[in-house]
Amino acid sequence: MQKLATSAALAAMLLSGTAFAGPLESYKPVTKERMSNPEPENWLMAKGNYAGWSYTPLDQINAKNVKKLKPVWSFATGVTSGHEAPAIINDGVMFVATPYNQVLAIKAATGEQIWRYKREFPEGFSAFHVTNRGVALWGDKVYVGGADCKLTALDAKTGKQVWESTVCDWNDGAYITSAPVAVNGKIIIGPSGGEFGIRGFVKAFDSETGKELWTSYAIPAPGEPGSETWPQDGQWKDAWKIGGGTMWMPGNYDVKNDVLYWGVGNGSPWVGDQRPGDNLYVASSVAMDPETGKIKSHFQYHWNDSWDWAAMNPPTLIDLEKDGQKQPNLISAQRNGYLYRLNHAKDGSKIDFVDARPYVKNNVFKSVDPKTGRPTYNEEATPGTAKERMYCPSIWGGKDWPYEAYNPNTGILYVPFNDNHCMAYAGKVQERVPGQWYAGVEPQDIKVTIEDGFKYIGGIQAIDAATTKEVWRETYPGSWNWGSIMTTASDLIFAGGTNDRMFRAYDGKSGDLLWEFKTNSGIISPPTSFSVDGKQYIAVVSGWGVDAAWVQDLMADRYGWEKNAPQGGTVWVFALGDD
């Protein structure tokens, strides 16, 4: 059964404001207790839980019956561009954010619309992306960040706006793509805009009133801890003011110890010789106090970032056994192509390096200090002002923003990756003009290269978190991989991400392909799972666009790959057939 909105209905719905099929009569409020221990039948946040596992405890769908998975409903979002938000589910209600400042509320079991909210962009608005990576839930409200720098609280029953607060200034080049994070009555979010000379930050707002509670900057001001890693005088003495480090993906949260972990993006401009020094906290993970926003500790994956290797995703929180005891660890497949394991003090006051290894080709790191994790560089692979250098992986990294997944039953981490791609550019000095491109290189001068004789680019790696050894890998000879991964208690993984529009299920232990379904478009949103009345469902939003589309066109021109996947967003929900 498919439920697709008609074009006439969509046209009416997409007017500014909220369109209704009827408000909810009741709604189960989202509390601190529920967020800390999400019920298996719900998917209350972008990665399923605060630890960032992208894991569902549901196991009704398993390796033996997954071949019977069928679509039970689909719902057209009515917009194009890249759909990167997961379906969020609370008590049988699904919330989906889409590009162009839109949120849908849908009955999760049947696909019937409850309400649709859409807010028009202000006159003259422009942004690098108009995608959205999801909503947050708290109390009786739904929270969404707008590309035009607004954080909006909606009544979960009706979709009506409750309050709206300003996070950033789109005239300055900032814009929001991140899902907010709801922690202890605070709604926390940061903007994108590193390529426009934004000084990165996250802000916290009161969930009830929208009042700003604190702002935490990723780039320290003079005199603050870490400021000594930025130029103190000379031509680049004010580099910290426009130094990048945007915090444009949702963080993870240690519930037991009340510590936020957030990722910090690339430096601005890209060329590091225009901001000499290590440049804290660019390309780092930071531990923060959620009450005040204070940065308590950090780990920097690479210093003086010159490759646009943003560390925007926070590490996954995993307890690993050592000497018979469970120890808190942070594990992350970074954009620079290395897989990192870090120890952290329970209160977040210290993050220590454990180990790192490359999971894709990296020609920049000559070595990594086994005690500190600090890399040494191959200067011939380090771009500079008027110095063109080729480096691998390219700006999209071993893994871009899509989420890895961790299965606590097997201890396996699943990483969507891309390999055999490199990039070259020569930096230039640009005048920083608010709202204009400021990467230190013109987009048309960026050269993306593919390794000669490549057999694949995209794929999935299954990695034993306790040893970091690879268990298995899947590779895609004809596609990059732009898809997040979800894993289940029945040891399945679900993933899209490829240009053939397929949504797939694999055996999580062996990597065997068990099921696939071709959707209307390519999938770059994270899969989720939920249950209603004891029946398990799998949800994913299909809708190709943004970087995936740009790279696909490049591969089509150079290697004869199929031209871009069709665009147009659709929510797909699957369940086992009645037989």
Side-chain angles (χ1 to χ4, degrees):
M1 174 178 65
Q2 291 187 344
K3 298 180 181 294
L4 298 175
T6 66
S7 58
L10 284 173
M13 292 172 186
L14 293 181
L15 295 174
S16 179
T18 304
F20 300 92
L24 288 167
E25 293 183 3
S26 63
Y27 179 77
K28 187 176 182 179
V30 175
T31 62
K32 177 180 179 179
E33 291 71 26
R34 294 186 63 211
M35 290 286 276
S36 299
N37 296 284
E39 305 93 345
E41 64 268 24
N42 296 313
W43 194 277
L44 297 180
M45 61 194 93
K47 288 169 274 188
N49 63 17
Y50 276 138
W53 290 358
S54 293
Y55 163 82
T56 176
L58 298 176
D59 61 2
Q60 187 179 94
I61 300 168
N62 56 49
K64 292 182 178 180
N65 61 26
V66 69
K67 62 185 178 182
K68 298 180 181 179
L69 211 59
K70 298 178 180 179
V72 293
W73 62 262
S74 62
F75 190 104
T77 68
V79 295
T80 57
S81 192
H83 285 59
E84 298 183 346
I88 304 296
I89 298 94
N90 177 31
D91 196 30
V93 181
M94 177 184 292
F95 302 98
V96 178
T98 79
Y100 303 104
N101 285 357
Q102 180 179 237
V103 180
L104 305 168
I106 306 168
K107 292 184 179 179
T110 63
E112 295 174 75
Q113 178 182 300
I114 301 167
W115 51 257
R116 181 189 295 252
Y117 171 85
K118 183 174 174 64
R119 186 173 54 77
E120 298 298 323
F121 290 123
E123 186 176 351
F125 169 78
S126 65
F128 199 38
H129 291 301
V130 293
T131 191
N132 187 291
R133 297 190 174 97
V135 302
L137 306 181
W138 192 266
D140 57 359
K141 299 177 184 63
V142 180
Y143 304 88
V144 63
D148 53 342
C149 284
K150 299 294 186 181
L151 176 64
T152 304
L154 305 174
D155 184 296
K157 290 183 181 180
T158 66
K160 292 182 177 180
Q161 180 177 308
V162 179
W163 56 256
E164 188 167 87
S165 296
T166 299
V167 179
C168 48
D169 182 0
W170 60 265
N171 290 288
D172 199 35
Y175 57 101
I176 295 175
T177 61
S178 178
V181 176
V183 173
N184 300 338
K186 298 176 181 64
I187 310 302
I188 307 169
I189 195 167
S192 302
E195 282 68 48
F196 294 82
I198 300 300
R199 180 187 176 206
F201 62 85
V202 287
K203 289 186 177 184
F205 297 83
D206 184 278
S207 61
E208 286 298 310
T209 66
K211 178 184 176 182
E212 183 179 324
L213 300 175
W214 53 254
T215 299
S216 183
Y217 286 95
I219 309 299
E224 295 178 344
S227 61
E228 70 280 0
T229 65
W230 288 82
Q232 303 295 300
D233 50 33
Q235 182 181 4
W236 312 115
K237 68 177 181 178
D238 291 330
W240 66 274
K241 296 180 180 179
I242 49 177
T246 47
M247 303 168 80
W248 52 274
M249 290 296 294
N252 293 332
Y253 176 54
D254 182 341
V255 176
K256 292 181 181 179
N257 301 296
D258 195 29
V259 181
L260 274 176
Y261 290 91
W262 220 278
V264 183
N266 55 279
S268 175
W270 289 352
V271 272
D273 60 11
Q274 294 183 23
R275 39 180 171 78
D278 283 9
N279 301 156
L280 292 177
Y281 296 97
V282 163
S284 300
S285 290
V286 294
M288 304 171 65
D289 181 346
E291 188 64 27
T292 65
K294 180 182 177 181
I295 294 176
K296 306 176 75 170
S297 62
H298 75 279
F299 180 81
Q300 188 173 51
Y301 298 99
H302 53 273
W303 49 276
N304 193 237
D305 174 55
S306 296
W307 308 274
D308 188 23
W309 283 340
M312 63 284 171
N313 278 332
T316 303
L317 280 62
I318 302 173
D319 288 343
L320 296 176
E321 192 167 302
K322 184 178 181 180
D323 301 327
Q325 294 185 333
K326 292 285 187 179
Q327 293 189 349
N329 275 250
L330 307 172
I331 189 165
S332 178
Q334 278 293 309
R335 200 158 162 174
N336 63 27
Y338 272 65
L339 178 75
Y340 290 81
R341 291 192 302 181
L342 311 169
N343 283 140
H344 64 96
K346 289 184 178 180
D347 64 357
S349 61
K350 190 177 182 182
I351 300 176
D352 290 324
F353 176 75
V354 177
D355 55 37
R357 70 161 179 86
Y359 64 97
V360 300
K361 177 182 177 179
N362 175 309
N363 73 336
V364 175
F365 292 4
K366 294 172 65 175
S367 64
V368 174
D369 188 292
K371 293 184 178 180
T372 66
R374 183 181 177 89
T376 58
Y377 296 149
N378 171 14
E379 293 303 319
E380 293 305 310
T382 303
T385 304
K387 296 177 182 178
E388 182 175 276
R389 298 289 187 268
M390 189 273 289
Y391 62 91
C392 315
S394 73
I395 58 174
W396 295 286
K399 184 186 76 66
D400 205 297
W401 76 265
Y403 305 139
E404 54 216 12
Y406 174 70
N407 192 310
N409 302 322
T410 61
I412 296 178
L413 183 79
Y414 300 97
V415 178
F417 77 94
N418 290 299
D419 202 356
N420 299 315
H421 59 100
C422 308
M423 198 177 103
Y425 77 88
K428 61 185 292 186
V429 177
Q430 295 176 320
E431 179 186 2
R432 202 269 171 165
V433 178
Q436 293 187 16
W437 178 265
Y438 182 71
V441 58
E442 298 296 343
Q444 64 268 20
D445 295 332
I446 298 169
K447 301 175 182 177
V448 179
T449 62
I450 306 298
E451 292 284 289
D452 291 339
F454 73 96
K455 294 182 179 179
Y456 63 86
I457 295 181
I460 297 171
Q461 292 184 36
I463 298 169
D464 186 324
T467 64
T468 74
K469 292 183 179 179
E470 184 176 302
V471 180
W472 57 262
R473 73 165 56 192
E474 167 77 305
T475 58
Y476 303 121
S479 182
W480 292 54
N481 186 3
W482 303 97
S484 297
I485 298 173
M486 179 188 69
T487 181
T488 77
S490 55
D491 296 332
L492 296 177
I493 68 168
F494 287 87
T498 51
N499 57 24
D500 56 9
R501 300 185 277 153
M502 288 294 187
F503 186 43
R504 298 182 172 94
Y506 294 90
D507 184 301
K509 292 181 179 178
S510 67
D512 292 340
L513 177 64
L514 302 177
W515 171 88
E516 60 184 0
F517 178 86
K518 196 164 193 170
T519 69
N520 60 295
S521 184
I523 295 168
I524 56 178
S525 77
T528 64
S529 187
F530 63 96
S531 68
V532 177
D533 296 330
K535 188 178 185 68
Q536 183 181 0
Y537 298 85
I538 305 294
V540 75
V541 184
S542 184
W544 201 243
V546 289
D547 288 22
W550 188 89
V551 168
Q552 181 65 15
D553 279 346
L554 180 148
M555 299 301 291
D557 292 341
R558 292 190 189 175
Y559 299 100
W561 285 16
E562 183 180 351
K563 274 287 186 181
N564 219 336
Q567 291 200 18
T570 299
V571 184
W572 291 90
V573 173
F574 303 87
L576 297 175
D578 293 335
D579 58 346

